[in-house]
Amino acid sequence: MAQGKGPAMRKLAHLVAARSGVRVGADYSTEGRSTKWYLQWANGPVIDVMRQHVRALANSVPGLDTAEVGYRRDYSDRHMVAAWLRLAEHSSSADEGLWSADRYFAQTSFPADIADDDPLWELVDYAVDRCGGPGAYADRVIDYVATIGVRGLRMEHWLDRPDDPDPSSTQRRVAPLLEPTGLSERTQQSLRAAAAAIMQDLAGRGPRNADPRVRVLVAEAARSALAQLVDDEQRQQALQCVADGTPLYKLSARLGKSESTLVKRWNPADFNRDLAPMLWLRQHEREWIHACNEAATEVRANRQLVGSREILRSLSAVELAIQAGNADWRRLLGSPDTVRLLVTSVNDTISRRHRDRSAYRAVGEDDDQALRPGPALVRLADLLAQYDAAPAPQRRGGPRSGAGR
């Protein structure tokens, strides 16, 4: 009967709890006349580990057949998410989502695999918070992470965290983001193809361009070329960060580097020179958008101008750039060049019309009706001149704080 095994099972549960370090209880279920006793715990060690504990304690509970002991491991949604995240980080099938979560949980032992102080819990709680808070179900959280990817979740977490004055803490958070893992096979193939193309160009078409010594030589040059491409891209993005209000010293610290790393990486005079127009555009964002809209409306209303295909093309480009810039000022970065094309196209068209009018105008005919740029376009051209002449910041690496805010 169930009551007969009760004391022995409760004693076993107590011993296993002391040995495993987790809370363990004993319970039973009945099916007809049969009774099945089992140990029950939440999260904690996997079933195989608990079974090993029971075998090791067999002699401590006389009269109990440990082979008949059952095991029931319950879970919390938080621990289910943690197990899935831990294994999904290193799995090419992380997009499997919820259906793999049970399997991942069954393979993860707490706290042996994920200790209470593991940094992963910070990421788990962030994901849970993004999906509604502590009451969020595991399936909702896992589906969300499967959609953006574990690396995407880490990026979101990194972006949303405040600056940490502790460099070691920052480095622990940043380290997983700096690991060059998780590249898709397609991306890896593209990288190999790009590297091969660069080396082929550098090797030339000589009869011994396949000589291993030549290949080693051009590989060294290709290494520098690829590094320069990456450096140029990082520098361009760093310029946008500084223009948006994050100075280089703070950005450097967020990367887990010393505050001076990025400041020293690029020539400060060149950096600030390229930063100047970005800062101007960020600081005059609303004024610039308004001026562009006013000028676009003015030009479209002028029938003598919109008949030019060149003006129409540049006008459409300006309108598209401004529409995109309403969502994010960074998308305005190409708009000065499109505005420059519009202003040039209008001025060229007006000059051409004036030359034609002068050629065919009768002697003494009044020129009051001559075509001229409208006030909105003149205002936009003035702003463009200010953009071009924006003064470079004096501080190395851009303003210390609050730029563009």
Side-chain angles (χ1 to χ4, degrees):
M1 298 295 291
Q3 297 300 323
K5 288 186 179 181
M9 283 297 298
R10 282 188 283 274
K11 179 179 180 180
L12 178 64
H14 177 75
L15 294 173
V16 172
R19 185 182 178 92
S20 65
V22 297
R23 184 175 181 179
V24 182
D27 204 349
Y28 65 92
S29 61
T30 58
E31 295 182 7
R33 294 184 176 182
S34 64
T35 300
K36 178 69 174 179
W37 277 92
Y38 55 85
L39 296 178
Q40 185 172 10
W41 69 102
N43 309 311
V46 297
I47 289 177
D48 285 345
V49 171
M50 297 299 263
R51 186 178 287 115
Q52 292 172 14
H53 289 325
V54 169
R55 290 171 181 168
L57 295 167
N59 295 333
S60 301
V61 189
L64 180 65
D65 185 358
T66 56
E68 296 181 357
V69 175
Y71 302 86
R72 179 176 295 175
R73 185 190 185 203
D74 297 329
Y75 70 88
S76 67
D77 290 276
R78 184 170 179 261
H79 283 72
M80 179 69 78
V81 172
W84 188 86
L85 280 177
R86 169 51 52 86
L87 294 181
E89 277 188 309
H90 309 289
S91 171
S92 60
S93 55
D95 57 350
E96 294 169 351
L98 184 63
W99 75 266
S100 65
D102 288 336
R103 172 164 55 90
Y104 284 10
F105 180 77
Q107 298 172 11
T108 306
S109 186
F110 300 91
D113 295 327
I114 306 179
D116 292 341
D117 60 351
D118 193 302
L120 182 71
W121 288 115
E122 189 177 327
L123 190 65
V124 170
D125 291 337
Y126 174 78
V128 170
D129 185 65
R130 291 292 292 263
C131 295
Y137 291 113
D139 57 350
R140 182 181 179 187
V141 179
I142 291 172
D143 283 345
Y144 166 71
V145 179
T147 299
I148 67 173
V150 179
R151 182 173 285 269
L153 178 67
R154 285 193 176 278
M155 290 294 181
E156 291 296 304
H157 182 228
W158 178 72
L159 287 170
D160 287 342
R161 276 194 61 86
D163 294 323
D164 194 332
D166 181 6
S168 61
S169 176
T170 300
Q171 289 169 2
R172 285 195 301 272
R173 291 198 314 272
V174 170
L177 300 177
L178 298 180
E179 295 176 358
T181 58
L183 294 179
S184 67
E185 181 59 32
R186 180 177 181 180
T187 299
Q188 293 183 49
Q189 290 176 356
S190 298
L191 284 173
R192 287 191 289 267
I198 292 173
M199 291 179 62
Q200 185 64 40
D201 283 351
L202 294 173
R205 295 189 297 273
R208 291 192 290 175
N209 63 357
D211 187 300
R213 292 167 296 181
V214 173
R215 307 303 289 180
V216 170
L217 176 65
V218 298
E220 187 67 20
R223 184 193 302 272
S224 298
L226 289 169
Q228 186 61 53
L229 289 173
V230 174
D231 184 77
D232 290 344
E233 175 63 20
Q234 186 185 37
R235 181 180 184 274
Q236 182 64 23
Q237 300 305 319
L239 283 165
Q240 294 183 34
C241 288
V242 176
D244 202 30
T246 303
L248 272 184
Y249 82 95
K250 185 174 292 187
L251 184 62
S252 190
R254 285 184 67 90
L255 300 182
K257 308 291 185 181
S258 72
E259 292 188 351
S260 62
T261 297
L262 293 184
V263 176
K264 295 177 179 178
R265 181 167 293 177
W266 302 298
N267 180 283
D270 293 342
F271 188 91
N272 284 351
R273 183 197 63 227
D274 295 339
L275 175 63
M278 284 191 186
L279 276 175
W280 185 95
L281 191 62
R282 179 67 179 93
Q283 293 164 352
H284 297 82
E285 175 185 359
R286 293 293 99 194
E287 183 182 9
W288 177 256
I289 290 176
H290 178 73
C292 286
N293 284 327
E294 291 292 309
T297 300
E298 180 183 81
V299 172
R300 281 204 177 275
N302 192 318
R303 295 182 179 180
Q304 297 185 72
L305 293 178
V306 293
S308 166
R309 291 184 180 180
E310 185 177 357
I311 290 178
L312 277 178
R313 282 196 297 269
S314 56
L315 183 59
S316 297
V318 169
E319 291 170 337
L320 288 173
I322 297 308
Q323 183 179 4
N326 279 313
D328 184 348
W329 80 270
R330 297 174 188 83
R331 301 178 72 176
L332 288 171
L333 290 175
S335 62
D337 288 336
T338 59
V339 166
R340 200 182 314 280
L341 288 174
L342 176 62
V343 172
T344 300
S345 298
V346 169
N347 288 335
D348 288 349
T349 298
I350 291 175
S351 296
R352 186 166 55 252
R353 296 284 177 84
H354 283 175
R355 288 195 300 271
D356 293 344
R357 185 179 179 84
S358 297
Y360 296 103
R361 188 176 67 244
V363 176
E365 183 178 344
D366 191 6
D367 195 28
D368 288 342
Q369 301 302 316
L371 184 61
R372 295 181 178 86
L377 190 64
V378 171
R379 171 59 180 159
L380 182 58
D382 288 342
L383 288 177
L384 181 62
Q386 294 178 31
Y387 167 87
D388 289 336
Q394 296 303 308
R395 184 182 295 277
R396 184 185 178 105
R400 187 74 175 175
S401 63
R405 292 300 186 186

